[in-house]
Every structure is written in C-alpha cells, then in structure tokens.
Amino acid sequence: MASLRWGGDAGAAESERLNSHFSNLNHPRNNLRGTKSTTVRNIGGSINNIEEDDEEDVVDLAANSLLNKLIRQSLVESSHHVEVLQKDPSSPLYSVKTFEELRLKEELLKGIYAMGFNRPSKIQEMALPMMLAHPPQNLIAQSQSGTGKTAAFVLAMLSRVNALELFPQCLCLAPTYELALQTGRVVEQMGKFCVDVQVMYAVRGNRICRGTNITKQIVIGTPGTVLDWCFKRKLIDLTKIRVFVLDEADVMIDTQGFSDHSIRIQRALPSECQMLLFSATFEDCVWRFAERIIPDPNVIKLRKEELTLNNIQQYYVLCEHRKDKYQALCNIYGSITIGQAIIFCQTRQNAKWLTMEMIEDGHQVSLLTGELTVEQRASIIQRFRDGKEKVLITTNVCARGIDVKQVTIVVNFDLPVKQGEEPDYETYLHRIGRTGRFGKKGLAFNMIEVDKLPLLMKIQDHFNSIIKQLNAEDMDEIEMIDY
Ligand SMILES: Nc1ncnc2c1ncn2[C@@H]1O[C@H](COP(=O)(O)OP(=O)(O)OP(=O)(O)O)[C@@H](O)[C@H]1O
C-alpha cells in the first residue's frame, strides 16, 4: 500500500524526551512563545493546492544542524588527522587516549560512562587537555558535525563549575532555541551525577522577572536573549562568567545580528574567562569572526571528509516535459534493482506532484520538504533510513549534510540551478556525492529537458567527469547498467 507520512509522532516523542529534563531545570517550554508549530499538515490539502506552491526550499543551516542531531545515532568518525595550532608553540602538546587521564571529578566520569562513551573521540583527544588545562586556555575548534564537539565543551563547562556557588558561571551561545535545548540535554545527561549543577535557558519566551536572582550555574541561550538578560534586565553578571562557549559559529554568522550580539557579550567578559568557539565548517568569514571573538586562541581542525563523484556513474535522460521525465523515471525504476533512492526536485510543487504520481502508481514513497518542522523531517528520514520507504522525494532542503548511508541511487528530477540559470555545482555535488560514500559505488540519473542540456554539460566540465546519455525507453540498455 502506498504511504505518505508526515511524522507527527516524532514531534511528540521528542517533546517527551525533552520534557524528561532534570527536575531542577528552569525549562522554557512551559511559557514559550513563538516557537515553531508542530501541527501535522494536511497532505491532501497541500497537494491539491500544488499550483500555489512553487517555492524553492533554501538550505537552512540551523534546521539542518538540528536535524543532524536528531537523527544521529553515533559518533561520526573521520579518517583525517587533527591539525593543531598552539598559541604557544613551545609548550608541549598533550593528547589523551582515555577519560581517566583527564583527572575529572568522579561524578563527571560516571556521567560520561553512563552515556556509553568509552574513550575520547579524535577531536576530543586533543581538545580536552587544552580545554581542561590550568590556567584555562582559549580554543577555536572546527570539525564536522557529529565528531564530538558538544560533548567536549559540555565536559569543560561541567568540570569548571563550582556547584556551591549559586550564580551563572558558564555561558553558552547557540544559534536557535532548539539547538540550545539540544546542548542542554547533553549537559543534563553528562551532569546526571553532578546533582547540584543546574541549567537555565536564555531563549525567547523564557520570561524571567527583572530582578530575579538566577542561581543556576550554566546558562545556555541565543545571542539576542542573552544580550537582553545581561545588559537590559541585568539578570546575568558577565564579570562572573568563567567559561564562555560560542557553539555553531558557522550558523551563528549566518544569522543577522548574531555576530554583533556575540561580540558585545564577549567584550563584557573578564579577561581570565575561558573562551571556546566551535564550528562545523571553516570558511574565511567564520575564521575572521572566530579571530575577532577569541583572544590568543589555540586552534584545532579536523578536515572534513570530501565528497567526490569518482565512484559514481552518472547518466542523463533527455526529456520533453515533466510527464516525460516521470515516464523515464518509471522505466528506470522498473528495470534495475533499487536499494533506496532519493529524488531531488527544485520546487516543492514539483516534489508534491511527483509524490502524487508515484503514489497513484502504487509506489511507496515519502516526501520531505522545507515546510515541515524539523521533528517531522527527522521522523521521515528515520523511516527512510529504517527502510520503511524505499524512495524519498525531496527538495534542496535535504541536499546537504544529511547522512543517509544506504542510498544507492540519486535522481535529479530537476537540475540544481542558481538564479540566473547557472548550474549550482555545489548542490549537484552534495546531492550526488552522497551515493558513492565509503567506497561504495553509486548511480545518478539526471532528467533533463532539452533546453537544460547546456547546463548539464557545464556540470560535466566543471567536475571533469562523464555523464552518459541513456535512452530510457531502451530497457535492455538500462538493465545493462552495472553498479
Ligand atoms: N567520546 C565519545 N564516545 C562515544 N560517543 C560520543 C563521544 N563523544 C560524543 N559522542 C556521541 O557522538 C554524537 C556526536 O557528538 P556531538 O554531538 O558532541 O558532536 P558535535 O561535533 O558537537 O556535532 P554537532 O556539530 O552536530 O553539534 C553524539 O551522539 C554523542 O553523544
């Protein structure tokens, strides 16, 4: 039976999970305004209105970051070496292979083991000794999502907190309310046995009366609200902060005003405060921001695994119009054994149309577009990863950074283009590069209207890789594809 799921149950499950926080937590959920709605959409309604919905989904870094956290099952291991740049190159470089070597408080070590961590991750091996050093050292660290950065700075915060002192001592800035909450969860898990340590969220909607004496030691919040709490409402005394963490710097600088807010907050911290900055990517703009905000830093970088098109066979099928593309897709689908496929469309409208067509033809597919909440997206991706649906139809919302390992086929139902009708090379690489991961062979099909052929040729030249033409009406030719 065909099915189209919108994952409302995941939202509920996530709420449950988040509700089971420390009992001593001052949680914003109960009085939060302006958060995203988790209403499950009426798919029938949306699809009937497809003519009104020709929006392109843009990649939302904060949403993708949260999505990755929700669907991640374990540490992402990297084969690259960690690069370290020390503030003082003559000082010895320490790395640890065990958590015991860090001489942590007993209750913290218990918390780490209760989370199932046996040994430090690659980035933690180098970062933790620096972060826990005396005197405290500042650090800028970059490594891809899932390599253990959050766990590292949470450990640093928890180890520096004095549970007997009842005022904010550690301040962590995150780009969104949801990401702040995720970090809070890690503090709660890791600090499970640090019974007197408490967390507070400085996020929009968490209404604290002016003059309230905040007694929690760790504050996690978004830059705008933290600024408000520090300067306008005088709830946090920044001169007493010992550890300042700026998480997801790459997402932060992508959000209007957040860099300036963060810099204002940082300027009011005492000089002995430890400053730590983390980012999944390190473009020039992130680096410039990091250097402005973290004085005298040590720098740790773990290079990202690079996507390539090397072990991916790429094909294109010339088509006249949308129906034609769909027919070609059906022919391919009927002729080769497909493990799991992701089909990319440029607009929500096309994605919905295609979903309807496939469902009407009896295929089991799911649809993922940017109008869903992150929790709903996470649920859809989870079902796809569990193999409950074989085909995922999506827009660019899912083109980057979302790791679904078992995909064997990627279809570009529409080519990724930039405004001005230039190919979007990056997005092409991110869409297709996901099939041939970890040495596996991958297969990619591009459905091309004749007038789009020059764009495809540009893509071919850009990547210096061959994209072969396929006659989608010739079943024998399709069946001959070896992958
Ligand atoms: N030393 C470890 N051993 C085992 N698992 C770990 C270890 N450190 C972290 N993890 C787990 O690995 C996953 C990724 O870790 P973490 O969230 O800290 O990565 P991250 O680099 O901060 O990712 P992001 O940039 O998305 O926030 C989490 O599920 C975390 O619990």
Side-chain angles (χ1 to χ4, degrees):
M1 197 188 70
S3 77
L4 193 66
R5 298 184 190 264
W6 291 82
D9 49 342
E14 180 63 9
S15 303
E16 274 305 308
R17 206 151 58 103
L18 295 170
N19 268 333
S20 63
H21 274 183
F22 277 176
S23 53
N24 58 18
L25 193 73
N26 189 350
H27 204 286
R29 174 179 311 285
N30 302 331
N31 54 355
L32 199 81
R33 288 181 316 145
T35 53
K36 282 181 190 161
S37 154
T38 51
T39 315
V40 178
R41 283 160 204 279
N42 174 350
I43 180 68
S46 327
I47 284 184
N48 289 340
N49 290 329
I50 54 173
E51 294 312 326
E52 294 163 17
D53 193 3
D54 62 352
E55 266 183 69
E56 286 186 20
D57 280 326
V58 287
V59 178
D60 174 344
L61 291 181
N64 273 1
S65 178
L66 180 63
L67 191 53
N68 265 323
K69 285 178 199 268
L70 296 182
I71 63 177
R72 183 173 303 128
Q73 278 143 0
S74 60
L75 204 56
V76 173
E77 289 292 347
S78 163
S79 55
H80 291 299
H81 288 294
V82 177
E83 293 169 39
V84 182
L85 213 94
Q86 277 185 297
K87 173 181 71 170
D88 174 7
S90 63
S91 79
L93 193 61
Y94 292 105
S95 80
V96 286
K97 293 286 175 206
T98 65
F99 288 113
E100 278 84 3
E101 289 171 69
L102 294 167
R103 304 185 183 286
L104 298 165
K105 292 180 251 188
E106 192 60 33
E107 57 270 28
L108 203 42
L109 206 54
K110 256 171 93 178
I112 290 169
Y113 289 136
M115 288 176 86
F117 297 2
N118 298 321
R119 57 184 180 80
S121 70
K122 218 170 206 177
I123 186 114
Q124 289 166 0
E125 283 181 7
M126 305 302 292
L128 287 174
M130 274 182 190
M131 289 160 84
L132 302 176
H134 289 284
Q137 301 195 18
N138 293 347
L139 177 71
I140 296 175
Q142 175 264 324
S143 71
Q144 80 186 81
S145 168
T147 46
K149 299 185 295 297
T150 309
F153 72 70
V154 165
L155 184 59
M157 290 199 297
L158 284 169
S159 69
R160 292 221 189 263
V161 133
N162 181 343
L164 303 176
E165 293 179 341
L166 301 182
F167 55 83
Q169 302 159 35
C170 300
L171 175 62
C172 171
L173 299 185
T176 64
Y177 153 76
E178 291 87 352
L179 288 166
L181 230 58
Q182 289 297 316
T183 300
R185 278 194 66 232
V186 181
V187 176
E188 288 151 25
Q189 285 176 329
M190 201 177 274
K192 195 165 139 194
F193 302 101
C194 308
V195 283
D196 294 321
V197 178
Q198 301 187 327
V199 183
M200 175 131 194
Y201 295 93
V203 291
R204 193 160 56 98
N206 194 8
R207 311 195 144 268
I208 307 291
C209 300
R210 192 186 284 268
T212 302
N213 185 22
I214 296 181
T215 55
K216 325 266 166 183
Q217 298 93 341
I218 298 180
V219 176
I220 307 175
T222 48
T225 307
V226 170
L227 197 69
D228 188 53
W229 282 25
C230 295
F231 295 106
K232 215 154 119 201
R233 309 218 275 139
K234 311 248 185 265
L235 295 167
I236 300 173
D237 180 356
L238 285 174
T239 63
K240 291 186 172 163
I241 298 294
R242 296 190 186 122
V243 183
F244 171 68
V245 179
L246 204 144
D247 194 17
E248 313 238 13
D250 46 347
V251 184
M252 206 71 104
I253 61 165
D254 207 48
T255 311
Q256 182 83 31
F258 275 10
S259 326
D260 291 343
H261 294 346
S262 307
I263 287 167
R264 271 195 69 194
I265 294 164
Q266 187 271 348
R267 296 278 184 264
L269 295 168
S271 58
E272 66 278 12
C273 173
Q274 180 175 33
M275 304 193 191
L276 309 168
L277 177 142
F278 297 85
S279 179
T281 61
F282 236 163
E283 285 104 33
D284 286 350
C285 51
V286 179
W287 180 238
R288 280 197 299 274
F289 172 61
E291 282 194 309
R292 271 185 82 190
I293 206 162
I294 308 292
D296 297 326
N298 296 294
V299 180
I300 293 187
K301 285 187 193 176
L302 183 59
R303 258 195 304 133
K304 218 178 150 171
E305 301 291 335
E306 309 230 320
L307 290 177
T308 75
L309 299 176
N310 288 349
N311 43 358
I312 298 161
Q313 294 187 67
Q314 302 165 71
Y315 292 92
Y316 73 93
V317 183
L318 270 187
C319 306
E320 287 199 355
H321 41 67
R322 191 161 74 167
K323 275 266 175 201
D324 216 23
K325 287 181 174 184
Y326 179 60
Q327 193 49 55
L329 180 66
C330 291
N331 292 354
I332 292 169
Y333 199 74
S335 308
I336 55 178
T337 318
I338 293 181
Q340 281 190 296
I342 298 190
I343 304 176
F344 287 100
C345 298
Q346 195 67 6
T347 62
R348 290 181 193 169
Q349 184 193 50
N350 251 6
K352 287 176 184 175
W353 174 85
L354 182 61
T355 304
M356 282 301 275
E357 292 289 313
M358 291 197 76
I359 286 175
E360 274 171 20
D361 283 346
H363 298 294
Q364 201 160 340
V365 300
S366 55
L367 170 65
L368 191 150
T369 59
E371 66 204 316
L372 300 178
T373 66
V374 173
E375 286 81 4
Q376 289 168 339
R377 293 181 215 173
S379 166
I380 289 170
I381 292 172
Q382 199 52 56
R383 288 183 57 81
F384 182 68
R385 293 215 298 199
D386 293 344
K388 292 188 173 126
E389 272 91 30
K390 287 258 193 282
V391 178
L392 181 69
I393 298 174
T394 187
T395 55
N396 282 337
V397 71
C398 195
R400 291 188 190 192
I402 309 299
D403 198 11
V404 186
K405 289 195 178 67
Q406 70 273 36
V407 176
T408 44
I409 293 186
V410 168
V411 177
N412 278 326
F413 198 75
D414 303 307
L415 268 189
V417 283
K418 284 186 176 162
Q419 271 166 0
E421 291 292 293
E422 268 296 297
D424 183 345
Y425 301 111
E426 276 271 291
T427 301
Y428 185 87
L429 179 66
H430 278 93
R431 285 180 180 185
I432 306 280
R434 66 180 53 244
T435 54
R437 315 265 313 265
F438 312 105
K440 285 194 219 150
K441 278 192 189 174
L443 205 49
F445 295 99
N446 295 288
M447 307 300 173
I448 305 290
E449 289 107 339
V450 181
D451 63 325
K452 294 282 184 335
L453 193 57
L455 292 181
L456 190 83
M457 292 302 118
K458 279 188 178 178
I459 290 176
Q460 181 171 260
D461 292 348
H462 181 87
F463 291 109
N464 196 18
S465 64
I466 297 166
I467 310 179
K468 291 185 218 151
Q469 187 174 3
L470 186 73
N471 178 358
E473 279 166 25
D474 185 344
M475 301 302 179
D476 292 339
E477 191 183 336
I478 303 173
E479 278 170 23
M480 297 266 285
I481 294 174
D482 168 38
Y483 69 101

